[in-house]
Amino acid sequence: KAGVTQTPRYLIKTRGQQVTLSCSPISGHRSVSWYQQTPGQGLQFLFEYFSETQRNKGNFPGRFSGRQFSNSRSEMNVSTLELGDSALYLCASSSDREEGELFFGSGTQLSVL
Amino acid sequence: DAKTTQPNSMESNEEEPVHLPCNHSTISGTDYIHWYRQLPSQGPEYVIHGLTSNVNNRMASLAIAEDRKSSTLILHRATLRDAAVYYCILRDLYSQGGSEKLVFGKGTKLTVNP
C-alpha cells in the first residue's frame, strides 16, 4: 500500500508570491490534515478535510487555504508569502475509524526568500 | 496550548531500555493517549496508543498511570535508529480520524549513544 505522497519535496519562493502544495493520501483514507512545522513553534495544525469539506481549522491567517478533491487528494495554498512562512509543511491522512492513526508524508520544505 | 508536557530531551545508551514520560493532567475520559515519533528529515510516524490499560506492540510499550494523568513510552532496547523526537498527544475518542485540532507540542528529543 503506497504511503502519503507530498509534492514537491522542496520549494523556494520569494516574498509576495503564492505557492500550492499537493498531498495524495493513502488509498481509502478520506481525511487529510495539514501541519506547519518550524523550529520555534513545532508542529502546528493548519486544517483538516474530509470528503471535500473542511472539518476543522487551526489559527492561521486567511492566506493559508486548502481544498480536497473527490479522489481525496488535497492541496494547500499560501498566498502573499512572507519570510515567516518558511517551514516544513506536512500532510497526514487517516481512516474514518475512531482510533485512526495518522499517516504522515515526508513533507514539503518551503523556503521564502 | 499543549495538553501534554514532556521533557525537552533525553539520552540513552544503545541496547538499554528507555522510559519517555508524558504528563497530561487535564486528560478527559474520552481521550486516547497517542505517541508518534519523528526521525530526521521525515514526517512523524505512529508508535502506539492506549486508553486505560498498558499496551504493547512490536515497536514499544505504553504504560498508563491508574489516574491516567501521566504515561510512559518504553523502548525496551534502544537502537541508533530510535533517535528521534517523540511526541505524546491526546486524541478524543469521539473525533473521527484527524478532525480535531491536534496539539503536538515540542516533544522529547531522544539521543541514543553507541
Side-chain angles (χ1 to χ4, degrees):
Chain A
K1 205 176 199 182
V4 177
T5 304
Q6 289 189 250
T7 56
R9 186 71 177 92
Y10 301 95
L11 205 50
I12 299 175
K13 292 286 188 178
T14 56
R15 278 183 302 173
Q17 288 187 308
Q18 75 164 14
V19 67
T20 299
L21 311 181
S22 179
C23 172
S24 294
I26 289 174
S27 177
H29 286 186
R30 292 190 290 172
S31 170
V32 174
S33 51
W34 289 87
Y35 292 81
Q36 181 195 66
Q37 186 172 34
T38 59
Q41 298 297 320
L43 268 163
Q44 293 186 287
F45 175 82
L46 279 157
F47 30 64
E48 187 254 351
Y49 286 87
F50 181 84
S51 292
E52 302 179 67
T53 301
Q54 187 180 87
R55 282 202 297 199
N56 221 326
K57 190 178 189 304
N59 299 320
F60 279 82
R63 299 186 297 107
F64 292 81
S65 62
R67 58 178 178 169
Q68 186 179 34
F69 303 95
S70 58
N71 62 358
S72 293
R73 189 177 70 85
S74 178
E75 290 181 345
M76 70 161 281
N77 183 278
V78 188
S79 62
T80 320
L81 284 166
E82 300 177 0
L83 296 178
D85 296 333
S86 295
L88 179 66
Y89 290 88
L90 291 158
C91 155
S93 76
S94 177
S95 67
D96 296 352
R97 65 186 185 92
E98 290 174 347
E99 300 168 50
E101 65 201 70
L102 295 176
F103 293 86
F104 284 85
S106 296
T108 293
Q109 183 67 55
L110 172 65
S111 297
V112 182
L113 306 179
Chain B
D1 294 332
K3 300 179 185 177
T4 62
T5 305
Q6 301 176 253
N8 290 333
S9 62
M10 290 187 66
E11 207 167 316
S12 173
N13 295 320
E14 204 174 4
E15 298 196 3
E16 288 185 356
V18 181
H19 289 65
L20 298 165
C22 180
N23 287 317
H24 27 79
S25 59
T26 60
I27 191 170
S28 72
T30 56
D31 281 334
Y32 276 91
I33 301 159
H34 280 241
W35 283 81
Y36 285 78
R37 71 179 185 181
Q38 187 172 20
L39 280 65
S41 302
Q42 294 185 29
E45 65 172 342
Y46 167 83
V47 177
I48 199 167
H49 77 278
L51 186 62
T52 56
S53 304
N54 295 343
V55 185
N56 300 297
N57 67 19
R58 64 174 180 82
M59 288 181 71
S61 296
L62 176 60
I64 301 172
E66 199 167 332
D67 64 4
R68 301 212 320 129
K69 293 185 177 182
S70 66
S71 60
T72 302
L73 179 71
I74 303 166
L75 306 179
H76 295 286
R77 290 183 65 194
T79 70
L80 297 178
R81 289 175 296 178
D82 291 323
V85 177
Y86 286 79
Y87 297 97
C88 164
I89 63 171
L90 302 180
R91 297 193 63 186
D92 193 316
L93 170 66
Y94 295 112
S95 174
Q96 287 187 320
S99 68
E100 72 264 56
K101 300 178 185 179
L102 295 181
V103 180
F104 274 77
K106 299 288 181 70
T108 297
K109 183 176 182 179
L110 175 65
T111 300
V112 180
N113 301 313

